[in-house]
Amino acid sequence: MERGGAVAPAPAPAPAPAPERGQQGEEEGYAGLWELPVERCERRPECGRCGRPQKVCLCPFLPIHPLKVSTCLYIIQHPAEESRVLRTVPLLAACLPPDKCKILVGRRFGEDRYPELATVCRNPNTLILYPGAEATNLEEVAVMCSNPSVLIIIDGTWSQAKDIFYKNSLFQLPKQVQLKTNISSQYVIRTQPTNTCLSTLECAAVALSIMEKNKSIQETILRPLQALCSFQLQHGAQIHHSKEHLLKNGLYDKPMPKNKRKLRRMELLVNNVKI
């Protein structure tokens, strides 16, 4: 403040430094990009039944009418599966009546948010398909089961399915069952841990054929999966051998894991020990 109370004027702001020659030319070069039209990325029209693009629709391989079954499936789908292009659950759902195949997407399923699922899990006729030491073979359960049942199947990778099964208390309530089968997966466009690991659609096909006591159900549900894999292979896809097959034949070309638990799992695959 100057003498007499007058306020000194603020100094004028320093002029901005002029851009360097190279920088100025670069900015001028980019200036025109903002005026270019943006192309909209439009998704290909999809079939309302099978969920595939209309040009590669698989409806000719689906049953003309949904299969008549008494068993109701609850598919618990990990969110990552929802965005996969070659997923099998839409094909499974297209084979069954809507009230016999219900799909719930998520990682955590609390009783407050999913009261219907909680009721289903407490039903003594509900089964959950998840292999393990405490699981009973589905064939044995089906012989004793006379009432219509509900079967819960978790859709995701093995690590995702394990996380969902063990971290949701509701899924500890139903009777745990597993498939006793030596069939190899026909889902050859996706890598499986072992030769006998099945996709969600394949698990459902085998399970329904056992519970409904009708082997033709398995053949009908597998037909669109076979068509999907055949089409992909004809258009450049490669057959994905299981990790077990690659390890046993010295074809596994990825670095071995440093984690001791994962390394132990690979050793068990090579030695044909069930994990």
Side-chain angles (χ1 to χ4, degrees):
M1 183 176 295
E2 291 183 343
R3 184 180 304 174
V7 178
E20 297 180 3
R21 182 177 301 176
Q23 181 182 353
Q24 185 176 5
E26 188 175 339
E27 291 178 354
E28 291 176 354
Y30 288 143
L33 294 177
W34 305 111
E35 300 176 2
L36 293 176
V38 177
E39 295 184 5
R40 293 185 178 181
C41 182
E42 296 183 1
R43 295 189 57 158
R44 292 180 293 176
E46 293 183 351
C47 172
R49 187 182 181 195
C50 70
R52 296 277 294 162
Q54 290 179 357
K55 290 185 178 180
V56 289
C57 173
L58 293 175
C59 286
F61 303 95
L62 296 173
I64 298 176
H65 302 290
L67 297 173
K68 294 182 179 180
V69 295
S70 60
T71 306
C72 179
L73 297 182
Y74 271 77
I75 307 298
I76 307 300
Q77 187 177 74
H78 190 279
E81 288 295 314
E82 196 177 16
S83 60
R84 287 187 182 275
V85 177
L86 301 175
R87 57 195 188 277
T88 64
V89 168
L91 297 178
L92 170 62
C95 293
L96 302 171
D99 63 328
K100 296 299 182 183
C101 185
K102 302 182 180 183
I103 303 170
L104 300 177
V105 181
R107 294 185 180 89
R108 301 293 175 260
F109 297 86
E111 187 168 353
D112 294 340
R113 189 175 178 183
Y114 297 92
E116 179 186 343
L117 180 62
T119 302
V120 167
C121 288
R122 286 191 169 86
N123 188 325
N125 292 323
T126 297
L127 309 172
I128 185 164
L129 186 65
Y130 190 85
E134 299 181 358
T136 305
N137 291 334
L138 182 59
E139 291 88 343
E140 300 174 14
V141 178
V143 171
M144 301 180 292
C145 184
S146 56
N147 298 323
S149 299
V150 175
L151 180 64
I152 298 174
I153 303 177
I154 303 175
D155 179 44
T157 65
W158 283 100
S159 60
Q160 292 167 351
K162 181 179 180 180
D163 178 77
I164 290 175
F165 179 74
Y166 284 107
K167 292 187 178 180
N168 288 281
S169 59
L170 283 180
F171 299 145
Q172 308 305 310
L173 300 177
K175 185 175 182 63
Q176 185 179 346
V177 296
Q178 62 186 358
L179 297 176
K180 185 181 179 182
T181 176
N182 292 321
I183 66 173
S184 296
S185 174
Q186 298 183 43
Y187 192 27
V188 295
I189 55 176
R190 186 169 174 180
T191 304
Q192 304 287 0
T194 69
N195 297 329
T196 55
C197 286
L198 304 179
S199 67
T200 302
L201 178 143
E202 291 172 307
C203 287
V206 175
L208 283 174
S209 68
I210 294 172
M211 299 179 73
E212 300 290 323
K213 300 175 178 61
N214 184 350
K215 290 186 176 181
S216 66
I217 290 177
Q218 180 176 337
E219 298 173 2
T220 302
I221 295 179
L222 290 180
R223 195 172 298 128
L225 176 67
Q226 295 164 347
L228 170 65
C229 293
S230 175
F231 177 85
Q232 294 299 127
L233 292 173
Q234 290 173 12
H235 290 79
Q238 300 294 319
I239 292 179
H240 288 223
H241 294 289
S242 69
K243 189 178 292 185
E244 175 189 18
H245 173 88
L246 296 176
L247 287 168
K248 286 184 175 181
N249 292 276
L251 302 174
Y252 191 77
D253 56 358
K254 296 182 180 179
M256 296 299 284
K258 296 180 180 179
N259 183 289
K260 291 184 178 180
R261 186 173 61 179
K262 291 183 179 180
L263 190 60
R264 176 59 179 161
R265 288 176 64 85
M266 285 195 167
E267 292 174 354
L268 294 175
L269 285 175
V270 173
N271 295 323
N272 202 28
V273 177
K274 186 176 179 180
I275 57 175

